[in-house]
Amino acid sequence: MSMQQMPEEKTSMQAVCVDEAGRLDVKHVPRPEPKNGQLLIRVTATALNRADLLQKRGLYAPPPGESEILGLEVSGVIANIGPEVKGNWMLGSKVMALLGGGGYAEYVAVPEELIMPVPSHLDLHQAAALPEAWLTAYQLLHFIAKVKPNETVLIHAGASGVGTAAIQLVRLCRAIPVVTTGSPEKLKFAEQIGAAVGINYKEEDFSEKVLQFTEGKGADVILDCIGGSFWEKNIRSLAMDGRWVLYGTLGGKTADGDLFGKLLGKRGHLLCSLLRNRSLQYKAELVRSFTEQILPHFQSTDPPLRPVIDSMFNMEDVEMAHQHMEANKNIGKIIIKIGTS
């Protein structure tokens, strides 16, 4: 397919840049052009991820070849179709995309394999809350843990973007979601969207509650973004032959004590996964599977799946948005409004 472009000849765009002190500032930068197999998206919105906070502090560099601009997901409209694109894409179509970087900008060029259509009843701000969190949760549950019906799944950070997606996906596959959160408000919300039980980890030993709920069996699967500070309680919570899926280390990267001995005693499987540094082929298969297996349920299921949005900020207020996430007060995703598509 030859290159197609909406009638717009700008060569620059606004983007959120990180200065040497780690502050966020909106600046004019060169607008990307789609390479072979890529589409250019005029961005309506992006959403925050913990990775953005780490990258801003110099602790999580983008993979080689990816944009230095923050942002792992966007929604918007197709503004340009690059050469050698295979799909039947149309200019102006509403889409959402998984990114390796570049989302905090007015335009981003994305391989067509990582782009999804927006479900018809979702607006573009809602759609921005979907790609990274839902694809992460889907990957952890189905590609990594291979969850089965009637299994108990312990989900840490149950009110986060990934957590709220995981609750709904666990219910969809007829498994049983149990969550930990850090406030009564978050517990209540998690239970409203399908958690069978919620545990305030600041006030209770979550391993005791998990064992009580499962009548001593433990959780078949644990989705863990905390790491170090939870390791002992995680192993105590884990069922025999259970799968402990680690995808973050918000609670520390080290574990002191008999981790391996206790894990071995449970015949436990420790599975580790990240999404950002996966190959294009892997991400493409994940997006294809999610589009076929899950995306229709945002319309057809009763009740339908839904992205959970905590708050929305304008592009110039992105520093405030980051502070809101750093305070750990959000329930669901924090959206940054970029354009007016």
Side-chain angles (χ1 to χ4, degrees):
M1 181 184 291
S2 60
M3 182 176 288
Q4 299 179 36
Q5 185 170 345
M6 295 178 75
E8 199 170 352
E9 295 299 329
K10 293 197 311 183
T11 58
S12 68
M13 64 175 182
Q14 286 191 312
V16 176
C17 299
V18 183
D19 67 17
E20 293 181 357
R23 293 185 296 262
L24 300 175
D25 192 20
V26 178
K27 295 183 178 180
H28 282 276
V29 301
R31 175 177 141 176
E33 290 296 328
K35 299 175 184 176
N36 287 354
Q38 291 186 336
L39 305 180
L40 185 72
I41 298 175
R42 186 171 75 235
V43 177
T44 298
T46 185
L48 266 62
N49 291 280
R50 292 278 171 185
D52 303 345
L53 306 185
L54 295 173
Q55 183 174 333
K56 179 178 70 171
R57 292 159 53 198
L59 301 176
Y60 191 21
E66 296 288 357
S67 171
E68 295 286 335
I69 296 170
L70 304 181
L72 301 181
E73 56 196 334
V74 292
S75 64
V77 300
I78 298 173
N80 192 334
I81 299 174
E84 298 185 28
V85 166
K86 297 176 182 177
N88 190 27
W89 302 100
M90 296 182 62
L91 295 176
S93 296
K94 295 180 179 180
V95 292
M96 54 192 178
L98 179 70
L99 311 176
Y104 289 24
E106 290 182 311
Y107 291 86
V108 64
V110 189
E112 64 172 324
E113 299 96 326
L114 305 186
I115 296 175
M116 298 172 282
V118 174
S120 60
H121 71 295
L122 295 184
D123 65 34
L124 284 170
H125 293 120
Q126 292 172 310
L130 224 154
E132 177 71 20
W134 282 81
L135 286 165
T136 295
Y138 180 68
Q139 177 211 19
L140 298 175
L141 289 167
H142 294 287
F143 280 40
I144 308 299
K146 302 188 188 310
V147 67
K148 304 178 186 70
N150 300 316
E151 288 191 319
T152 299
V153 181
L154 173 60
I155 303 163
H156 292 313
S160 66
V162 173
T164 54
I167 291 169
Q168 296 177 71
L169 290 173
V170 169
R171 281 293 185 195
L172 184 66
C173 70
R174 302 190 305 282
I176 304 161
V178 174
V179 306
T180 67
T181 70
S183 75
E185 295 78 18
K186 291 181 178 181
L187 282 182
K188 183 179 180 181
F189 186 84
E191 290 171 349
Q192 286 174 346
I193 63 170
V197 64
I199 307 160
N200 187 334
Y201 69 88
K202 294 180 179 178
E203 298 179 354
E204 302 178 279
D205 181 337
F206 68 79
S207 63
E208 291 182 4
K209 299 291 277 189
V210 170
L211 291 172
Q212 180 182 339
F213 176 75
T214 58
E215 299 180 341
K217 177 178 181 288
D220 301 288
V221 174
I222 300 175
L223 300 189
D224 179 23
C225 57
I226 306 300
S229 62
F230 275 11
W231 79 262
E232 287 186 280
K233 293 175 183 176
N234 275 335
I235 293 179
R236 207 177 304 138
S237 302
L238 194 65
M240 194 66 72
D241 299 308
R243 290 96 76 201
W244 172 14
V245 181
L246 180 69
Y247 70 101
T249 54
L250 295 174
K253 298 178 180 179
T254 60
D256 296 325
D258 187 20
L259 187 158
F260 294 120
K262 291 182 178 180
L263 186 62
L264 185 61
K266 288 285 184 83
R267 300 195 303 264
H269 301 250
L270 178 57
L271 305 165
C272 302
S273 184
L274 294 172
L275 182 54
R276 189 182 191 184
N277 64 358
R278 296 277 189 176
S279 68
L280 175 58
Q281 182 180 4
Y282 180 97
K283 291 178 182 177
E285 173 57 24
L286 179 66
V287 169
R288 186 199 61 76
S289 179
F290 181 86
T291 301
E292 292 178 0
Q293 301 295 325
I294 304 300
L295 213 52
H297 293 282
F298 282 86
Q299 292 170 278
S300 63
T301 305
D302 186 18
L305 301 179
R306 64 183 181 98
V308 176
I309 294 177
D310 172 84
S311 50
M312 288 197 279
F313 291 81
N314 292 324
M315 190 179 188
E316 59 268 24
D317 298 323
V318 64
E319 191 70 65
M320 291 172 54
H322 274 229
Q323 291 169 6
H324 185 59
M325 176 170 270
E326 287 165 350
N328 204 30
K329 294 179 179 177
N330 57 297
I331 295 176
K333 298 287 285 187
I334 300 168
I335 304 299
I336 305 295
K337 295 185 284 186
I338 302 291
T340 57
S341 301

